[in-house]
Amino acid sequence: MTSKKSKRISIDIGISESNREKIAEGLSNLLADSYTLYMMTHNFHWNVKGPQFNTLHTMFMTQYTEQWAALDVIAERIRALGYPAPGTYSEFIKRASIKEVNGVPKAEDMIRHLVKAQEATAKTARKLFPVVDASNDQPTADVLTQRIDVHEKTAWMLRSLLEE
């Protein structure tokens, strides 16, 4: 039996391998936060109850649907940089800055958890800008800008539900 070696084709896109690795690492952390946020939002969509049920159920569905689409964008950028995208719960748990919520919180607490998770995901994306800027990596900067915009806007909308 002959051994088949994996043949790696070099990537020459104007970003050093070292910086591509740093960017892929940061994007992997963003993917972990994004997936954890997706799961939290979907869980709350299934389990919300109370006077705001219809509003929150619908809002959470809009949010987790948008989040689901973003996962692919982030993972594909990691792949375009030449690295494998993480895709297991254990990897996401290790990388995520967002912690799982145990049990089923009350609706208002769900909103508070989601505000924190949206803000945490925005911060994870923002941390990556120095290496992205230094690498002149506009495609990743575009992904990060779009994700930060969505997370900050969503956090604002959720916070608005808590204000009087």
Side-chain angles (χ1 to χ4, degrees), residues 115-130:
V115 167
K116 287 182 183 177
Q118 291 285 349
E119 291 173 343
T121 307
K123 286 190 277 189
T124 298
R126 187 169 269 111
K127 282 183 206 172
L128 194 48
F129 265 109

Side-chain angles (χ1 to χ4, degrees), residues 6-141:
S6 177
K7 189 175 183 182
R8 186 169 176 189
I9 300 171
S10 68
I11 297 173
D12 184 14
I13 58 173
I15 302 171
S16 71
E17 184 168 351
S18 171
N19 282 354
R20 281 189 295 106
E21 184 176 14
K22 289 175 192 169
I23 294 166
E25 184 73 16
L27 286 171
S28 294
N29 294 338
L30 178 60
L31 184 62
D33 272 357
S34 299
Y35 195 87
T36 304
L37 174 59
Y38 161 78
M39 290 288 292
M40 180 187 294
T41 309
H42 210 151
N43 175 29
F44 291 169
H45 164 80
W46 289 329
N47 291 299
V48 69
K49 57 186 178 182
Q52 292 183 312
F53 168 80
N54 195 47
T55 300
L56 293 178
H57 186 74
T58 302
M59 179 185 244
F60 294 164
M61 182 171 69
T62 300
Q63 291 171 4
Y64 79 68
T65 302
E66 189 283 331
Q67 196 63 34
W68 180 256
L71 297 172
D72 214 42
V73 171
I74 298 164
E76 287 179 356
R77 185 63 194 148
I78 296 167
R79 294 297 299 132
L81 292 168
Y83 292 89
T88 64
Y89 291 124
S90 62
E91 182 89 21
F92 290 150
I93 289 167
K94 281 190 282 189
R95 290 180 171 278
S97 69
I98 301 167
K99 300 304 171 212
E100 290 182 315
V101 176
N102 293 318
V104 179
K106 292 183 180 194
E108 192 169 297
D109 291 331
M110 288 178 176
I111 297 167
R112 290 181 201 289
H113 285 296
L114 288 171
V115 167
K116 287 182 183 177
Q118 291 285 349
E119 291 173 343
T121 307
K123 286 190 277 189
T124 298
R126 187 169 269 111
K127 282 183 206 172
L128 194 48
F129 265 109
V131 68
V132 168
D133 286 344
S135 302
N136 203 24
D137 182 1
Q138 292 88 358
T140 300

